Amino acid sequence: MVKPNLLKDIINIWGCTGLSGIDSTEYGFRIGALSTWTEVRQATALPPALIECAATVGAQQIQNRGTVGGNIVNGSPAGDSLPMWLVLDAEFEVASTRGVRRIPASEFWTGYRKNAMVDDELLVAVHIQPKSTDILHYRKVGTRMAQSISKVVLGARLRIADGRPIEARFAMGSIAATPVRLPTVEAAVLAGEGADAATHMAQDITPLDDIRSTSGYRLNVATRVVRSFLEQYLGA
Amino acid sequence: MTQFSLNGHTTSVDAPPMTRLIDVLREQLRLTGTKEGCGEGECGACTVLIDGLPVNACMIPVVQAEGTQILTVEGLAEDERLHPIQTAFINYGAAQCGICTPGFVVAAKALLDAQPNPSRTEVREALAGNLCRCTGYQKIIDAVVEALGGQP
Ligand SMILES: Cc1cc2nc3c(=O)[nH]c(=O)nc-3n(C[C@H](O)[C@H](O)[C@H](O)COP(=O)(O)OP(=O)(O)OC[C@H]3O[C@@H](n4cnc5c(N)ncnc54)[C@H](O)[C@@H]3O)c2cc1C
Ligand code: FES
Ligand code: FES
C-alpha cells in the first residue's frame, strides 16, 4: 500500500453530520456510517444482538471513537460487525459526486480488505430491516473479554414457523480473507437436520492457520458455536 | 490553529492536522501526566476525556480536537486538593510504576460522572481498556469501587 501524505491525502470526516445518527425508517433502521459503537450500544431500539456486537469491539475508549463505517470499509476479516451485516442482509449506502448507490452486504467484501466501493466513494449509512419474528444471534470468541481480536466471530439469523426453520443465515469472521456465509450448514438447517447441521462446517470453511489460532482449533470452535446456537432454538 | 478547552482553559495550538493529540499534550503543552504505553490504542495509558468520553489520545489526530472540551489527569485535582479517585489510589496502593495510573484515574472519572455507585462488574468493564503490568488490578479495582461510593 502507498503511504498517504498526511497533509494532502486525508479528509477528516469526523463530525460530518450527514454521516451520523441512528434513525428508524419505514422499513427498519438507517445507521449513519459515523455512528460510534458507543452510540450503537445506546440505540436500544436496535436488535439486541447488534448491541451485543457493539459491546465487544475493543473497550470503551475504542467504542467511543471507532465507527460502524470504519469497521465496514476497513474490512478486516476480524471486523466483528461484518457477519452481522451479512445475516441481516444489510445494504450499504455509498455516495460520490456521481450520486448515491446501495451495495448489498453480500457483494461488498471482495477480497482481503478489499471492497466494492470505488476510490472516491464514501460510505454514508447502513440500512437494515430486521424482522421482530427472527432470532438474531451474535457470538465472539477471543482470548479475553475486552480488547481482543476475534478467533471466530459468528452472526446468525433464524426464522421459525410452526416449529420448523424456514430461513437460516450464518456468517463467520476471522476464518478467511473475507467474512463468509455457511451455505451447506444453512441448507442442512432448512432440511431439518437440527443442531447436527453444524457438522457440515468443514464443507463451508477452511479456517486460517495464523499466530492467533490453528486451523483445527478454529474449525472446532466454529462448529461448536453454531451447534450450541442451534441446540438452543431447535433442540439437541 | 486548533482551538479547544483544556482542563477548563481555552487553548490554541499550531500543529499539523494529523499530529496525535498525545504529542500535542505532552510535547507542545507540556502536560506530561498523560502517558504513552503502546501508541496503538491497546493500553489506555493515554486516556483523556473528550466531551466527557474516555478516548485514547494516541489515536486522535489533533484536527479532531477542534471545539471540544478535553480533560487530562492534570485537570482532576483542585490546587493541592486531590480528586477522591486519586486519594483512593494512594490509600489502596493502587500504583506501582505508575505509567498506567493517569489512564485509570481518568477512565474512572468518566465512569463516576456517568454512573455514581457502579457495581464491581461495571467498574471492571469500564476499566477493561486500561492495562497494568504491575499491580494485578485488584487494588486498582478496589480503589475505584471505593472512590465511586461502593463497598470494595
Ligand atoms: C485497541 C484496538 C482494539 C480494537 N478492537 C476491535 C474489535 O474488538 N473488533 C473490531 O471489529 N475492531 C476492533 N478494532 C478496530 C477498529 O477500532 C474498528 O474496526 C473501528 O470500528 C474502526 O472504525 P474507525 O472509525 O476508527 O475507522 P478508521 O480506522 O478511521 O478507518 C478505517 C478505514 O476505513 C476508511 N473509512 C472510514 N470511514 C469511512 C467512510 N464513512 N467511508 C469511506 N471510507 C471510510 C478509512 O479511510 C480507513 O481506510 C480495534 C482497534 C484498536 C486500535
Ligand atoms: S498509548 Fe494510547 S492506548 Fe496505549
Ligand atoms: S503500575 Fe505499572 S503498569 Fe500499572
Side-chain angles (χ1 to χ4, degrees), chain B residues 22 35-47 56-59 129:
Chain B
I22 188 173
K35 305 300 182 199
E36 176 159 7
C38 63
E40 49 184 53
E42 292 279 351
C43 76
C46 63
T47 302
N56 293 325
C58 71
M59 303 254 82

Side-chain angles (χ1 to χ4, degrees), chain B residues 94-101 104 131-135 140:
Chain B
Q96 289 183 28
C97 80
I99 280 280
C100 70
T101 313
F104 272 102
L131 299 183
C132 173
R133 66 177 299 277
C134 304
T135 64
I140 294 176

Side-chain angles (χ1 to χ4, degrees), chain A residues 13 19 33-34 37 56-59 62 65-71 73-74 78-81 117 121-124 140 147-149, chain B residues 40-42 59:
Chain A
I13 57 172
L19 305 188
L34 277 181
W37 296 111
T56 71
V57 177
I62 300 296
R65 214 64 197 182
T67 65
V68 169
N71 202 252
V73 178
N74 195 43
D80 283 326
S81 73
M117 289 188 353
E121 279 178 324
L122 202 58
L123 177 62
V124 175
K140 169 173 175 170
Q147 207 90 305
S148 71
I149 299 181
Chain B
E40 49 184 53
E42 292 279 351
M59 303 254 82

Side-chain angles (χ1 to χ4, degrees), chain A residues 2-62:
Chain A
V2 193
K3 257 196 141 180
N5 177 321
L6 293 188
L7 286 174
K8 286 195 297 198
D9 299 340
I10 291 183
I11 300 169
N12 177 28
I13 57 172
W14 183 258
C16 196
T17 48
L19 305 188
S20 56
I22 300 174
D23 303 296
S24 300
T25 63
E26 198 181 331
Y27 304 104
F29 298 94
R30 173 195 187 274
I31 304 171
L34 277 181
S35 305
T36 63
W37 296 111
T38 297
E39 287 162 354
V40 172
R41 286 183 76 170
Q42 288 164 351
T44 47
L46 289 175
L50 199 55
I51 293 175
E52 228 178 280
C53 167
T56 71
V57 177
Q60 62 165 348
Q61 288 94 331
I62 300 296

